[in-house]
Amino acid sequence: MKDNHRFRLDVWGVITLAILAMYLLFMVYPLSNLIKMAFYGDNGFTLDHFIKFFSKPYYSSTLVNSFKVSFWATVTSLLVGVPMAYFFALYKIRGKQTLRILIIISSMSAPFVGAYAWILLLGRNGVITNFIKALFGVTPPDIYGFNGMLLVFTTQLFSLIFLYVAGALSKVDNSLLEASENMGCTGVRRFFKVVLPLITPTLLAGALLVFIRALSDFGTPMLMGEGYRTFPVILYTEFVGEVSQNKGFASAIAVIAIVITTVVFSAQNIASKRNSFSMNSLHPIEEKPLHGAKGVLIHVFCYVVVFIAILPQLYVLYTSFKKTSGTIYVDGYSLDSYREMFSRLGRSVQNTIVIPVIALVAVVLLAVLMAYLSVRRRNVLSSTVDVLSMVPYIIPGTVVGIALVTSFNRPPVAFTGTMFIMVVALIIRRLPYTIRSSVAILHQIPITIEEAALSLGSTKMKTFFKITVPMMSSGIVAGAILSWVTMISELSTAMILYTGRTQTLTVAIYTQIVRGNYGIAAAMASVLTILTIISLLIFNKLSKNGEITM
């Protein structure tokens, strides 16, 4: 076969150039424009915007706050997610499949929906708060600020650690555990001496995702941060409030966000490379039955964690059927919130389906092409495309939205306010998920199969779509379902880009919560949860083993 590590202007060369052009137009150009606005004012080059940010504690303190809550959210997510995945891999836990589905559902909902639910439960007039007051005569700790945000992020994001570690443990050979047991290394000691070093690269990848998700989320701190201001909130409020007067300052804040996430990603990448190695699981870990006090404790831990994680969704569903009078709940149940919801939704549900569907079709097509270029046709240009594809993975959605809206708001590329720009934003942001899963599965497919097809007279494209793509299907489906569920729950980018005609369900939910229409918001959130569950059921039908891991 020809040397595929040299760029050639064949069909794959043309595809490489086309994808590179797409990234240059819709990612490199907007981000470059953002950086230009941050460093240039009316009188040319300036650092005034950055000096303003770091010289005023009102702004600079948000960095410390964001790092603090993101760091502890990562720590607590690891403390909960790692043991859960370890117990699921080693032991026969009753109702394991149901628990796994509930964990996935809890991870796929929008974080701000969980924040809204916890306010209803533990807020100053929350159900649990009032119950504890009446029963014990004491007031629980305030849910607002750092404590509440940490609770929301932990219950929302530990599931990502669980999915990452579950995927890593599925590749651990059982003979390693048996050998350590024969040498007297068991229990907690075996976990820290044998298992933990094996899954360290995966832990670092999962921790990075949790940290960046917590760092870039603005829906949760907007709802429950109160005096505890975070970086994404100040970024959003400054852009929305000053877009017509001072784009430069908002752009400078966005550039700071890019630098921070890039540094964090680079540190994680270096640490992962130092600890990376490959594993082949010839004998997967065998699940053992649980007995005695140990079995009770492990079952209690798993069930309590899952119950706390799924509680927000359950309570939101429950409140969607409660009667409301104005902005407060009253005794009794009805479907009034759903009736009122449909009268206010407009095109929100339709947009929540149509926009992600269009984006997902493009994501799947681009992902399989880019995965193939990355693995089979790796050269300078395809490597550049691969690097560019990962940039949105580490950039907050609010930054992507600001970059797009400031770059395409005037002719001849006036896309701002259209469905097209919403689709582009989702494609750019969610491509990395499907690309990574497609690359992982393509590495397991021998290139000799493609060579055999080509030697028998098949064209390159026919070989790719008829032979390679079907063999990649499991990786494509896994990445696609993750991309889809994150698309329908997207808020940060949508809040910047949406108009009345392109409003999505997440934006509609957030708007109703801010307005105090909790019954309508609960009904909308329940619809979003149902869409998520349907998506997971479809995945279960299409997937070979019905399990989502990362």
Side-chain angles (χ1 to χ4, degrees):
M1 204 171 185
K2 294 181 179 179
D3 180 16
N4 286 330
H5 297 289
R6 230 173 10 97
F7 177 78
R8 297 193 303 276
L9 197 58
D10 56 6
V11 62
W12 285 109
V14 172
I15 290 173
T16 303
L17 292 174
I19 296 176
L20 180 60
M22 179 197 75
Y23 272 106
L24 291 176
L25 176 61
F26 292 114
M27 193 186 73
V28 176
Y29 165 67
L31 291 179
S32 300
N33 189 49
L34 197 70
I35 294 171
K36 180 182 177 182
M37 288 191 296
F39 285 98
Y40 284 86
D42 296 333
N43 299 319
F45 181 82
T46 180
L47 294 175
D48 289 348
H49 303 310
F50 295 94
I51 293 172
K52 176 183 177 181
F53 180 88
F54 287 107
S55 63
K56 295 186 177 182
Y58 177 83
Y59 297 116
S60 58
S61 63
T62 61
L63 277 179
V64 177
N65 290 344
S66 290
F67 265 97
K68 181 181 176 182
V69 72
S70 300
F71 171 79
W72 285 111
T74 304
V75 171
T76 52
S77 295
L78 287 168
L79 291 175
V80 176
V82 174
M84 281 284 290
Y86 184 67
F87 294 152
F88 270 54
L90 259 68
Y91 303 113
K92 294 180 179 179
I93 297 172
R94 293 174 184 174
K96 179 186 293 187
Q97 197 61 30
T98 301
L99 292 177
R100 185 185 294 274
I101 291 172
L102 293 176
I103 290 172
I104 294 170
I105 291 173
S106 71
S107 72
M108 299 302 183
S109 65
F112 77 94
V113 173
Y116 152 67
W118 282 114
I119 289 173
L120 295 180
L121 290 166
L122 291 171
R124 296 184 181 100
N125 195 37
V127 175
I128 297 177
T129 301
N130 290 335
F131 175 77
I132 293 175
K133 281 182 182 178
L135 191 62
F136 301 106
V138 296
T139 302
D142 198 344
I143 190 68
Y144 298 94
F146 175 83
N147 293 333
M149 291 165 59
L150 182 61
L151 172 65
V152 172
F153 286 142
T154 302
T155 55
Q156 173 81 24
L157 300 177
F158 87 89
S159 50
L160 297 178
I161 299 294
F162 170 83
L163 294 174
Y164 267 92
V165 175
L169 289 174
S170 67
K171 298 179 178 66
V172 173
D173 199 297
N174 194 55
S175 60
L176 295 174
L177 302 185
E178 292 175 345
S180 63
E181 191 171 353
N182 291 335
M183 297 178 70
C185 185
T186 59
V188 176
R189 185 163 172 260
R190 179 175 64 181
F191 173 78
F192 284 102
K193 290 287 186 180
V194 180
V195 178
L196 192 59
L198 291 174
I199 63 174
T200 294
T202 300
L203 280 182
L204 291 172
L208 171 71
L209 183 57
V210 170
F211 185 88
I212 290 180
R213 286 277 292 270
L215 186 71
S216 61
D217 181 73
F218 88 97
T220 300
M222 281 284 278
L223 291 178
M224 62 185 350
E226 290 196 346
Y228 195 86
R229 299 185 312 278
T230 61
F231 190 72
V233 172
I234 209 71
L235 170 60
Y236 174 77
T237 54
E238 288 299 318
F239 177 77
V240 171
E242 298 188 342
V243 66
S244 59
Q245 294 90 17
N246 191 356
K247 294 180 181 179
F249 183 58
S251 299
I253 298 175
V255 169
I256 294 170
I258 294 173
V259 172
I260 291 170
T261 52
T262 301
V263 169
V264 173
F265 176 76
S266 300
Q268 181 272 340
N269 201 32
I270 292 171
S272 293
K273 286 182 178 179
R274 288 180 177 177
N275 294 279
S276 64
F277 51 86
S278 59
M279 289 187 294
N280 290 313
S281 177
L282 298 177
H283 305 286
I285 295 175
E286 297 177 2
E287 298 177 358
K288 298 178 181 178
L290 285 167
H291 303 290
K294 178 182 177 180
V296 172
L297 290 174
I298 288 177
H299 274 91
V300 168
F301 174 80
C302 293
Y303 277 90
V304 168
V305 168
V306 173
F307 174 74
I308 294 174
I310 204 66
L311 181 59
Q313 282 89 339
L314 294 177
Y315 191 71
V316 166
L317 181 62
Y318 165 73
T319 56
S320 69
F321 293 103
K322 291 195 70 176
K323 283 185 178 181
T324 57
S325 177
T327 60
I328 62 172
Y329 292 108
V330 296
D331 292 336
Y333 302 92
S334 73
L335 296 175
D336 291 345
S337 293
Y338 286 92
R339 295 190 189 98
E340 188 69 18
M341 174 194 73
F342 285 112
S343 69
R344 300 191 186 195
L345 274 178
R347 295 168 55 90
S348 296
V349 174
Q350 180 181 336
N351 289 337
T352 303
I353 296 174
V354 172
I355 294 174
V357 163
I358 296 172
L360 186 65
V361 171
V363 162
V364 170
L365 178 60
L366 289 170
V368 294
L369 293 173
M370 292 169 69
Y372 191 86
L373 291 172
S374 176
V375 177
R376 298 285 197 253
R377 298 292 298 261
R378 194 161 189 86
N379 51 57
V380 174
L381 284 182
S382 64
S383 297
T384 302
V385 169
D386 190 38
V387 171
L388 289 176
S389 72
M390 289 304 295
V391 172
Y393 181 78
I394 62 172
I395 294 180
T398 311
V399 174
V400 174
I402 292 174
L404 290 173
V405 80
T406 54
S407 300
F408 299 114
N409 60 355
R410 55 187 176 274
V413 284
F415 298 139
T416 300
T418 66
M419 184 180 289
F420 177 76
I421 200 69
M422 301 278 284
V423 171
V424 168
L426 287 179
I427 293 172
I428 293 296
R429 290 203 68 210
R430 302 310 175 190
L431 253 176
Y433 296 109
T434 310
I435 290 174
R436 291 305 105 192
S437 61
S438 299
V439 165
I441 200 70
L442 187 58
H443 275 298
Q444 300 174 20
I445 301 174
I447 195 173
T448 52
I449 298 175
E450 297 168 41
E451 292 174 338
L454 292 172
S455 67
L456 292 171
S458 177
T459 63
K460 293 177 181 177
M461 285 291 99
K462 188 176 181 181
T463 299
F464 176 71
F465 284 107
K466 292 286 188 179
I467 297 175
T468 309
V469 170
M471 296 178 70
M472 294 169 62
S473 60
S474 61
I476 295 171
V477 170
I481 195 64
L482 184 59
S483 296
W484 164 258
V485 176
T486 53
M487 283 177 184
I488 64 176
S489 61
E490 173 65 35
L491 177 68
S492 55
T493 307
M495 283 294 291
I496 297 291
L497 298 175
Y498 89 99
T499 62
R501 293 181 294 107
T502 59
Q503 178 178 260
T504 59
L505 197 52
T506 49
V507 174
I509 295 169
Y510 182 81
T511 302
Q512 295 303 322
I513 292 174
V514 171
R515 291 175 180 173
N517 298 322
Y518 298 131
I520 299 170
M524 291 180 176
S526 298
V527 171
L528 186 62
T529 300
I530 290 170
L531 287 176
T532 303
I533 293 172
I534 291 172
S535 302
L536 294 173
L537 290 175
I538 293 173
F539 167 80
N540 192 62
K541 190 73 174 176
L542 296 176
S543 177
K544 292 179 180 179
N545 55 18
E547 291 187 1
I548 296 179
T549 56
M550 295 183 181

